[in-house]
């Protein structure tokens, strides 16, 4: 009888211990802070960045809402009266400048701010946005299709207006895609507005479709759906590395570019967790992850050579006035839509 009593006692002790362990596990899970992150990062980049951050901050779990730059920007502006996001991570600096003008961003100086390039952060002493990496325009040319169609060589933006390219081009819609907008903004700044719009009029004659993704034109070129895709250097480099028969062209007149950046929403009730992400986003560890994707980083010491991206990419970038690009965005997009919306991809 004593043995039975002892056995029941042990079972009771084990049950209590198991219950306590389950309780502690539930508490630990409940204690995690969920941070809602709005992002235009490429889907194939987010996993590594999320794992890297959560390894350093296991007390915080990142939840992502991901879409193209223009769509995320429009969503944030539409939610201004009732913001949902805690942090914006991997969205164009020119978009963040629009949000800042609306008073939506919280000033915060990350711990490693002094190491960040001065050209890749809000110049204010306590910035509202801080850069991660820089991305630039690039042209993906399917060499098999180009040979079949006897397309001329491409070295410049001007080459794409030649009549031989009629119906062969695809590029991102600038209202949906940050890549599309940085191209348009660069052409207008490089050429002047009159010549810039005249150039886009000529380009439009050769355009097959305007997509709602910055990556899609290069993917289309890689698959031979359209011989020429105007895209950006990360997607071009990856598409070629994955075996697609493309040449990557960096037009000689200059490349449009923008900066992927991080910002904290002023209305977030999770400011400490948001600051932890903003701090981590400019660490050497984070920049090493960015280096797998981009050639130009906020922390130059973390940069790596990419197989199909020229070592002098920085010298090829067009002059870019971020303030002008942000201030004129609505006007430019309205004019662009008036002229070219007829060839936009259906949403």
């Amino acid at each position: 009888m004593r043995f039975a009593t002892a056995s029941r006692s042990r079972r009771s002790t084990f049950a209590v211990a198991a219950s306590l362990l389950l309780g502690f596990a539930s508490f630990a899970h409940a204690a995690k802070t969920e941070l809602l992150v709005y992002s235009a990062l490429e889907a194939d980049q987010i996993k590594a960045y999320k794992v890297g951050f959560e390894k350093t901050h296991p007390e915080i779990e990142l939840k992502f809402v991901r879409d193209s730059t223009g769509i995320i920007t429009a969503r944030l502006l539409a939610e201004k009266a009732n913001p949902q996001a805690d942090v914006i991570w991997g969205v164009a600096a020119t978009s963040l400048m629009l949000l800042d003008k609306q008073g939506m961003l919280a000033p915060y100086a990350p711990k490693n701010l002094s190491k960040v390039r001065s050209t890749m952060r809000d110049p204010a002493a306590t910035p509202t946005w801080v850069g991660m990496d820089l991305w630039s325009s690039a042209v993906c040319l399917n060499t098999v299709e180009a040979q079949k169609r006897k397309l001329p060589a491409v070295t410049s933006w001007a080459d794409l207006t030649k009549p031989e390219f009629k119906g062969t081009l695809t590029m991102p819609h600038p209202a949906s895609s940050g890549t599309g907008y940085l191209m348009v903004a660069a052409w207008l700044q490089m050429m002047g507005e009159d010549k810039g719009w005249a150039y886009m009029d000529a380009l439009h004659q050769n355009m097959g479709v305007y997509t709602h993704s910055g990556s899609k034109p290069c993917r289309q070129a890689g698959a031979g759906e359209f011989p020429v895709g105007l895209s950006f250097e990360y997607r071009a480099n990856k598409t070629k590395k994955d075996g697609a028969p493309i040449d990557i062209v960096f037009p000689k007149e200059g490349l449009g570019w923008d900066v992927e950046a991080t910002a904290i929403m002023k209305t977030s009730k999770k400011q400490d967790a948001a600051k932890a992400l903003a701090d981590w986003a400019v660490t050497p560890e984070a920049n090493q992850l960015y280096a797998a994707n981009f050639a130009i980083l906020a922390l130059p010491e973390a940069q790596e050579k990419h197989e199909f991206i020229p070592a002098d990419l920085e010298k090829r970038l067009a002059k870019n006035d971020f303030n002008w690009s942000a201030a004129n965005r609505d006007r430019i997009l309205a004019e662009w839509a008036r002229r070219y919306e007829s060839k936009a991809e259906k949403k």
Side-chain angles (χ1 to χ4, degrees), residues 102-241:
Q102 297 292 321
M104 297 169 67
L105 305 182
Y108 178 65
K111 292 176 182 176
N112 205 35
L113 182 64
S114 63
K115 301 291 186 181
V116 173
R117 293 173 185 261
S118 60
T119 54
M120 291 178 67
R121 50 156 291 188
D122 173 15
T126 305
T128 54
W129 61 268
V130 178
M132 303 158 54
D133 51 66
L134 179 153
W135 88 103
S136 69
S137 51
V139 177
C140 299
L141 175 68
N142 187 300
T143 54
V144 175
E145 289 298 316
Q147 187 173 12
K148 278 184 190 174
R149 301 180 188 223
K150 297 182 180 178
L151 297 177
V154 177
T155 62
S156 68
W157 295 116
D159 288 336
L160 298 177
T161 64
K162 292 177 180 177
E164 294 94 328
F165 287 100
K166 189 171 183 64
T168 68
L169 309 182
T170 177
M171 75 166 274
H173 192 302
S176 303
S177 163
T179 302
Y181 185 67
L182 66 81
M183 288 182 198
V184 172
W187 295 329
L188 294 174
Q189 290 184 80
M190 284 191 298
M191 303 176 192
E193 294 219 20
D194 289 344
K195 289 182 179 178
W197 288 116
Y199 170 74
M200 284 184 272
D201 287 346
L203 194 69
H204 182 67
Q205 298 307 307
N206 290 344
M207 195 62 59
V209 66
Y210 298 103
T211 71
H212 296 293
S213 158
S215 287
K216 189 171 182 178
C218 194
R219 290 196 182 106
Q220 290 174 316
E225 186 178 346
F226 287 91
V228 185
L230 283 65
S231 190
F232 64 108
E233 94 287 356
Y234 161 74
R235 184 55 60 193
N237 186 65
K238 189 173 190 311
T239 301
K240 190 172 178 68
K241 281 177 71 175

Side-chain angles (χ1 to χ4, degrees), residues 270-289:
K270 302 169 184 176
Q271 290 290 316
D272 288 344
K275 289 174 181 177
L277 177 53
D279 285 339
W280 186 84
V282 294
T283 60
E285 292 77 16
N287 274 253
Q288 284 163 14
L289 294 175

Side-chain angles (χ1 to χ4, degrees), residues 9-65:
S9 177
R10 281 196 297 273
R11 285 199 298 272
S12 177
T13 301
F14 290 147
V16 170
S19 178
L20 286 171
L21 285 172
L22 285 170
F24 284 136
S26 297
F27 176 78
H29 180 74
K32 275 195 175 187
T33 300
E34 282 193 1
L35 210 56
L36 185 59
V37 180
Y38 277 26
S39 180
L41 292 167
E42 292 293 294
D44 47 13
Q45 298 167 357
I46 286 176
K47 183 178 178 181
Y49 297 178
K50 174 178 164 69
V51 169
F53 172 76
E54 290 178 357
K55 184 178 179 181
T56 304
H57 289 281
E59 76 283 6
I60 301 172
E61 183 176 3
L62 302 182
K63 299 289 187 181
F64 282 86
V65 171

